[in-house]
Amino acid sequence: MEDAQLAELYKEQLFLQYARIGKCLSSERRLEILSLLSNGPKAVETLAHQSGMSFANVSRHLQVLLDANLVRFTQKGTYVIYSLANPLVAEFLMSLWKISEHQLSDVPRLKQNLYQQYENVRTISKKEVLERMKTGNFLVLDIRPKEEYEAQHIEGAVSVPMEELDDYLQNLPQETEIAAYCRGPYCVFTTQAVEKMLKKGFKAYRIEEGVHEWRTS
């Protein structure tokens, strides 16, 4: 085989491998599963509950992701626990979100529509959060499920899952300032949590970044 033919064959095979990842990510539900796993390992049952998909559908999508080597799994008793195969996958997802926001006008429009429904909710910057945490009367709440907090969280944050927020606020001094975060810029729960705190009389803010964005910003 001539050198030119060999080079062409190599190029075709290389891009064929790249395309495996592209084809795998052509499903919005698989992207959602990867996004959930970027916040920590999860059982199939947990992924089904958090995504609203059936156990069978989640299992099928996981098999496709497994074939593309984007996820891996371990056995824990009777449960199969899935996680991202490599931290690079989380970095790739962040890049995908950024590209989509810059290149697809519908993405920032959807984000803006959400914010307009919660006009009283203010976003606080990372710099402001770090400065106010030094005062000692400023709380950062992680409202994700506890297992996601335990996998990784913003340093100094307190784990208060969304379903426990009401009880937690009952024992908190009214003058306490609070900032909350969840799974990143497009997580609705953060905004809903802050609105709830504002209605209860707290001075509260929304942190736009999730854990990955916080660490890389």
Side-chain angles (χ1 to χ4, degrees):
M1 185 179 290
E2 295 181 1
D3 288 347
Q5 291 176 313
L6 187 63
E8 184 65 26
L9 179 62
Y10 167 75
K11 182 184 71 174
E12 289 178 2
Q13 292 298 316
L14 183 62
F15 280 101
L16 182 63
Q17 293 304 308
Y18 293 156
R20 289 178 62 192
I21 301 294
K23 289 176 182 177
C24 175
L25 299 179
S26 64
S27 163
E28 69 274 17
R29 303 320 298 265
R30 287 196 284 275
L31 286 172
E32 182 179 0
I33 289 172
L34 288 174
S35 179
L36 289 170
L37 290 177
S38 71
N39 283 274
K42 291 177 174 59
V44 183
E45 291 83 355
T46 302
L47 288 168
H49 173 72
Q50 293 182 353
S51 67
M53 286 185 271
S54 69
F55 182 94
N57 279 341
V58 169
S59 296
R60 282 194 289 269
H61 286 308
L62 285 169
Q63 187 56 56
V64 176
L65 293 168
L66 197 61
D67 290 342
N69 201 28
L70 292 176
V71 300
R72 61 186 177 188
F73 68 88
T74 56
Q75 198 83 25
K76 190 175 182 181
T78 59
Y79 291 96
V80 179
I81 309 297
Y82 280 85
S83 61
L84 297 183
N86 192 296
L88 288 172
V89 180
E91 293 179 21
F92 173 80
L93 288 172
M94 285 179 57
S95 296
L96 179 59
W97 309 152
K98 288 179 181 178
I99 291 170
S100 298
E101 184 165 357
H102 281 88
Q103 302 304 123
L104 301 174
S105 60
D106 283 347
V107 175
R109 178 181 58 79
L110 288 168
K111 186 177 177 182
Q112 186 60 36
N113 288 345
L114 172 65
Y115 287 173
Q116 287 175 351
Q117 294 181 41
Y118 300 93
E119 293 181 350
N120 294 327
V121 175
R122 279 187 54 209
T123 298
I124 189 169
S125 69
K126 178 179 178 179
K127 181 180 178 181
E128 287 180 285
V129 170
L130 293 175
E131 287 176 352
R132 296 192 189 194
M133 286 178 78
K134 295 175 184 177
T135 67
N137 197 34
F138 188 83
L139 272 179
V140 175
L141 302 186
D142 185 324
I143 61 169
R144 300 174 301 161
K146 284 191 181 296
E147 64 269 17
E148 294 185 13
Y149 173 87
E150 290 168 0
Q152 51 187 339
H153 58 267
I154 292 175
E155 186 177 355
V158 178
S159 175
V160 184
M162 189 69 168
E163 62 272 16
E164 299 177 11
L165 184 60
D166 285 329
D167 290 339
Y168 182 82
L169 294 175
Q170 287 181 7
N171 300 312
L172 203 62
Q174 197 74 51
E175 64 273 12
T176 307
E177 284 192 273
I178 310 167
Y181 73 92
C182 190
R183 293 174 178 144
Y186 298 97
C187 184
V188 180
F189 294 130
T190 314
T191 307
Q192 292 174 340
V194 172
E195 186 185 51
K196 178 178 288 191
M197 289 185 276
L198 290 171
K199 287 181 177 179
K200 289 181 179 292
F202 290 94
K203 194 171 184 180
Y205 309 91
R206 176 185 186 277
I207 296 176
E208 185 168 80
E209 296 91 345
V211 176
H212 297 293
E213 292 86 0
W214 182 272
R215 289 179 175 175
T216 58
S217 64

